[in-house]
Amino acid sequence: MKPAALAKLCLALPGAREEFPFGEDTSVFKVAGKVFALSRLNAEPLRISLKCEPDLAVRLRAEHPAIIPGYHLNKRHWNTVELDGSLTDDFVREMIEDSYDLVVAGLPKREQEKLKWVALSQE
């Protein structure tokens, strides 16, 4: 996956915005002011950090060498995914959507309604 495609996937989600609070090299993707993905889009190799349910995070790390505990993040709730070609684009998209859903699920109902949110995994 190329950096532009990765950013496009993140920004395609309802209410998603890209910000640069850690400098121009690190894209931080947020919904309603809450982070659901981080990536240095110009880095080699390309990586993205995503929020994940703790039990699933551990299982994904065990099953996929490209998935490691979140780099400089709470390792219980975040994974860093190296986009080295070992994971399909669809699988990466699903992880991004899951991260987004986890963040939106924690928002007040009013914010969820503004986003017309239905958990992507339930569609």
Side-chain angles (χ1 to χ4, degrees):
M1 181 175 299
K2 302 287 183 202
L6 183 62
K8 186 176 178 180
L9 275 175
C10 292
L11 292 171
L13 299 169
R17 302 180 58 88
E18 182 179 21
E19 298 180 7
F20 300 90
F22 306 118
E24 62 187 42
D25 287 345
T26 304
S27 293
V28 178
F29 299 95
K30 295 182 176 183
V31 59
K34 304 289 184 184
V35 177
F36 70 91
L38 300 98
S39 180
R40 289 189 55 217
L41 294 174
N42 61 352
E44 286 288 333
L46 182 59
R47 292 185 181 104
I48 186 167
S49 293
L50 300 165
K51 195 163 189 148
C52 192
E53 293 176 352
D55 292 338
L56 178 59
V58 171
R59 196 167 68 243
L60 290 173
R61 293 172 199 159
E63 294 172 1
H64 304 281
I67 301 175
I68 61 172
Y71 182 72
H72 286 303
L73 296 162
N74 181 327
K75 291 166 183 10
R76 179 168 157 75
H77 296 279
W78 288 84
N79 279 337
T80 295
V81 181
E82 186 172 320
L83 303 175
D84 61 2
S86 66
L87 304 171
T88 67
D89 289 355
D90 284 341
F91 188 67
V92 173
R93 179 187 47 78
E94 288 174 17
M95 288 189 293
I96 292 169
E97 290 174 354
D98 286 349
S99 180
Y100 174 90
D101 280 346
L102 280 171
V103 171
V104 176
L107 295 174
K109 192 128 186 110
R110 174 179 243 177
E111 288 294 321
Q112 293 174 359
E113 289 170 357
K114 282 184 195 175
L115 295 167
K116 297 181 171 104
W117 177 69
V118 173
L120 295 168
S121 60
Q122 295 176 7
E123 288 184 335

